[in-house]
Amino acid sequence: MKNGSPTLENGTRWHDKYPHLGTGPLSVDVFTSPEQFAQERERIFKKVWLNVGRVEQIPHPGDYFVKNLAVCNTSVIVVRGKDNKVKAFHNMCSHRGNKIAWDSQGTCRMFTCKFHGWSYALDGKLTFVPDEERFFGLKKETLGMTPVAVDVWAGFIFINVDPTPQETLQDYLGELGAGLADYPFGELSATSTTWTTEVKANWKVIKDAFQEVYHIAFLHKRSIPDSFTSKANPYAHCLSVQLYPRHGSMSLYGNAELKPTPVAELAFRYGAFVIRKDFSEARLPPAVNPTRSKEWTLDLNVIFPAFFVDVSEGSYFTHQFMPLAVDRTIWTSTQYFPKATTPAQRFSQEYGNVIFRDVILEDGRTFEETQSVLSSGAKKEIYLHDEEILVRHSHHVVDQMLNSQPITVGSHTNGKEESPRA
Amino acid sequence: MPESLLPAQFHELEQWKEWSLATEQERSARRQASTMEDIKTFYNAMLARMEEVLPYLEQFSADELPQDATRLFYLTLSLAEVAPAVEQFGQPSVVDGYDVKRIVVQHH
């Protein structure tokens, strides 16, 4: 294996593919500056498509869930309408601004505000105002719940709080979205487990920890010492890296000589999960494992700003990092499995959940530890390894969006940056 | 005659009935509250029978387990829960890990 890398020619690096990104250190200010955070809120989170859930959460008309989006200064109701379409609304009553749905999910025939009984149909129309005649020229038809742009990609529900979204969801997801759309998400989303916690760290500190493989051999040396490494590839070098204008993707090497622990070995007999594969090309669209390597185990797909869809064979998982403040974030990870038809398959999936959870608990410890010293001023810069190129790209995209630069970079063929528009 | 807690051929596992827990939160809490000695003894006892337990459970559909088989099934989920403590960490909690008690779990 040349260069310690499964696919790169000797001496070449991922950064050679994307010279416009440079190779120098980056500032730590972006993790601690309240001004930076305020800009990220206005220029990124309130302008782009954000994942809020999956269609399986609302299978029937009247099913809804609520997503509180502090970073967008709002709360959103996502509901399946009578017409079976997914709709989204700001969770706010037209009367005096009260939040309409106070729970996190449910089923209803209409939404009724607890404060004064104003009622809204599933399509958002205001249908009933108690004691209406004592109002003054109320035009009910103008007072429905305020809609939020919503769309669905591969079963994932995205919203955009921009009143006039600058692009469709399809255009936003671009080439990566098109390439992944045929992955069997629906079949693999029959069951899921979600782990959520509030972390005292900047969303980018958390995101960066999940979008590189350099840490695997060290941070995960106890939980998964040899799942992504081997003598031939001791640093878990990736099989491929693809950068898009905003999004990024990397393919992870898996150790075919993995020696499972006794319980892992039992679990492998009854199901597949992320640290083990049952490679079958027919089930994977071309965007997954693009080099078609026989040593492939997992693709990380980072959808800007803060949503990961990480796909393996027979299972996938997602991460999301929703900012609350410059140094506080809601971190959510979900692992998905196909329907288990026997108890032994459920046992296998349970082990898959436990080991996944314990691995991300190893990741999780670094976030607050890092954030706690980031403001010290002791270090002004961070230095990035070649395999940390998604980190570099991610910071570059944030930078571009804060400076209102057109997103033209990330092209595989053209590395030149356009000059900013006036 | 009182009903057996577990299917007859796994009778000796009944001493571990307190590990027969239905939810991840309960199993995780028990792992965190136990000594490694207790965890290891439970782990070894279950592992010794798993070659028979899993094929036994396989005969049932996941949604139609009789009660005694359900209790046995929950024991296997607890084995899954404690496995990393024994096989990877050598202690109940993840070494140098984020506090699992801060995590809220939801299943779908």
Side-chain angles (χ1 to χ4, degrees):
Chain A
M1 186 173 293
K2 298 172 232 192
N3 199 23
S5 164
T7 56
L8 285 175
E9 288 300 309
N10 214 2
T12 65
R13 301 178 179 199
W14 303 121
H15 279 67
D16 298 339
K17 282 174 75 173
Y18 306 102
H20 63 277
L21 293 179
T23 54
L26 305 182
S27 169
V28 300
D29 282 351
V30 298
F31 299 118
T32 56
S33 156
E35 292 76 27
Q36 167 95 12
F37 181 73
Q39 289 289 302
E40 288 169 354
R41 182 202 299 271
E42 295 307 318
R43 292 175 184 267
I44 297 175
F45 288 91
K46 287 170 131 173
K47 296 284 185 199
V48 302
W49 291 92
L50 301 173
N51 173 257
V52 291
R54 272 199 62 88
V55 291
E56 291 86 8
Q57 293 171 248
I58 47 171
H60 306 117
D63 291 344
Y64 69 91
F65 62 85
V66 172
K67 189 80 174 178
N68 294 320
L69 294 170
V71 69
C72 298
N73 301 121
T74 193
S75 169
V76 175
I77 295 174
V78 180
V79 58
R80 190 172 295 275
K82 281 209 185 111
D83 57 2
N84 251 313
K85 292 199 167 61
V86 175
K87 303 176 201 304
F89 304 97
H90 288 278
N91 187 4
M92 189 173 177
C93 185
S94 306
H95 176 211
R96 282 167 55 192
N98 184 40
K99 201 172 176 189
I100 298 170
W102 291 355
D103 49 7
S104 59
Q105 63 190 47
T107 300
C108 65
R109 288 204 296 269
M110 66 181 75
F111 293 103
T112 302
C113 183
K114 292 178 190 22
F115 204 176
H116 307 88
W118 281 37
S119 295
Y120 301 84
L122 299 181
D123 63 0
K125 286 201 185 66
L126 175 60
T127 54
F128 179 60
V129 172
D131 203 19
E132 187 178 350
E133 67 198 21
R134 291 295 296 277
F135 274 95
F136 304 91
L138 208 63
K139 290 201 176 68
K140 295 218 298 289
E141 64 277 10
T142 67
L143 295 173
M145 289 196 285
T146 302
V148 176
V150 61
D151 203 354
V152 178
W153 167 81
F156 292 96
I157 304 170
F158 287 76
I159 58 102
N160 190 328
V161 301
D162 190 338
T164 49
Q166 284 150 32
E167 57 198 318
T168 64
L169 174 62
Q170 187 175 0
D171 286 346
Y172 182 75
L173 296 176
E175 199 184 325
L176 177 60
L180 278 181
D182 289 339
Y183 178 85
F185 290 111
E187 181 197 318
L188 296 179
S189 300
T191 66
S192 66
T193 302
T194 298
W195 296 268
T196 308
T197 184
E198 183 177 321
V199 183
K200 294 190 223 46
N202 183 266
W203 67 280
K204 299 184 297 300
V205 167
I206 308 176
K207 179 186 181 183
D208 287 350
F210 282 113
Q211 58 178 347
E212 48 89 357
V213 296
Y214 186 30
H215 69 277
I216 292 176
F218 306 96
L219 196 62
H220 299 308
K221 64 178 184 282
R222 290 184 180 89
S223 61
I224 43 171
D226 53 359
S227 295
F228 301 102
T229 56
S230 65
K231 282 206 175 57
N233 188 4
Y235 294 114
H237 288 170
C238 284
L239 302 170
S240 77
V241 169
Q242 297 282 102
L243 299 182
Y244 303 91
R246 274 167 293 228
H247 314 305
S249 183
M250 55 198 327
S251 289
L252 269 61
Y253 166 89
N255 179 12
E257 309 300 314
L258 172 72
K259 301 232 176 336
T261 63
V263 174
E265 195 273 322
L266 288 169
F268 289 154
R269 291 189 212 166
Y270 296 95
F273 43 92
V274 164
I275 61 171
R276 176 79 164 191
K277 69 182 190 302
D278 192 9
F279 187 61
S280 164
E281 278 187 46
R283 289 168 55 79
L284 300 175
V288 180
N289 184 18
T291 63
R292 298 279 110 172
S293 168
K294 290 276 181 275
E295 295 170 310
W296 173 85
T297 188
L298 173 68
D299 272 13
L300 305 191
N301 297 298
V302 181
I303 295 175
F304 191 82
F307 180 54
F308 287 49
V309 183
D310 295 350
V311 300
S312 182
E313 171 63 33
S315 174
Y316 76 97
F317 60 90
T318 61
H319 296 306
Q320 190 180 65
F321 317 111
M322 279 299 195
L324 296 174
V326 64
D327 58 356
R328 273 189 308 120
T329 304
I330 304 275
W331 162 34
T332 303
S333 294
T334 303
Q335 182 158 244
Y336 294 86
F337 283 112
K339 185 157 173 58
T341 54
T342 71
Q345 287 172 5
R346 286 219 177 128
F347 159 78
S348 173
Q349 292 179 1
E350 181 69 19
Y351 180 76
N353 280 334
V354 170
I355 196 69
F356 175 78
R357 180 202 68 203
D358 282 3
V359 167
I360 63 176
L361 288 176
E362 287 176 327
D363 291 301
R365 178 66 180 277
T366 64
F367 313 148
E368 292 175 346
E369 300 289 357
T370 300
Q371 188 75 30
S372 70
V373 289
L374 277 174
S375 300
S376 64
K379 300 289 177 187
K380 305 258 189 290
E381 291 170 326
I382 61 173
Y383 295 83
L384 298 179
H385 183 268
D386 191 41
E387 297 285 347
E388 292 174 316
I389 189 168
L390 257 65
V391 172
R392 183 182 299 284
H393 174 60
S394 187
H395 283 248
H396 180 81
V397 176
V398 168
D399 200 49
Q400 285 202 296
M401 292 192 75
L402 263 47
N403 294 312
S404 292
Q405 298 211 359
I407 304 291
T408 57
V409 297
S411 152
H412 305 156
T413 52
N414 177 14
K416 273 167 81 164
E417 232 175 289
E418 288 185 3
S419 50
R421 298 204 184 117
Chain B
M1 180 168 329
E3 187 206 327
S4 266
L5 290 175
L6 298 177
Q9 67 264 52
F10 303 108
H11 177 73
E12 95 283 1
L13 295 177
E14 283 183 12
Q15 64 180 302
W16 305 110
K17 64 178 189 282
E18 275 155 17
W19 281 103
S20 183
L21 300 165
T23 67
E24 178 187 330
Q25 286 96 310
E26 291 174 285
R27 294 188 292 267
S28 174
R30 190 175 174 88
R31 167 178 153 185
Q32 296 308 315
S34 299
T35 63
M36 268 319 279
E37 200 192 314
D38 284 346
I39 286 173
K40 275 194 209 165
T41 326
F42 167 67
Y43 168 94
N44 289 329
M46 282 303 297
L47 196 59
R49 300 301 312 273
M50 287 297 275
E51 293 287 353
E52 295 138 293
V53 169
L54 290 174
Y56 173 85
L57 290 174
E58 277 268 277
Q59 69 184 299
F60 302 104
S61 103
D63 300 320
E64 283 164 11
L65 276 170
Q67 249 195 340
D68 59 352
T70 299
R71 293 189 197 98
L72 179 65
F73 169 61
Y74 291 157
L75 286 180
T76 68
L77 301 188
S78 277
L79 175 65
E81 172 64 45
V82 304
V86 176
E87 296 176 346
Q88 275 99 343
F89 303 115
Q91 62 177 43
S93 58
V94 172
V95 173
D96 292 333
Y98 189 89
D99 184 358
V100 70
K101 292 188 285 297
R102 292 175 63 185
I103 310 261
V104 173
V105 188
Q106 276 178 294
H107 300 286
H108 172 77

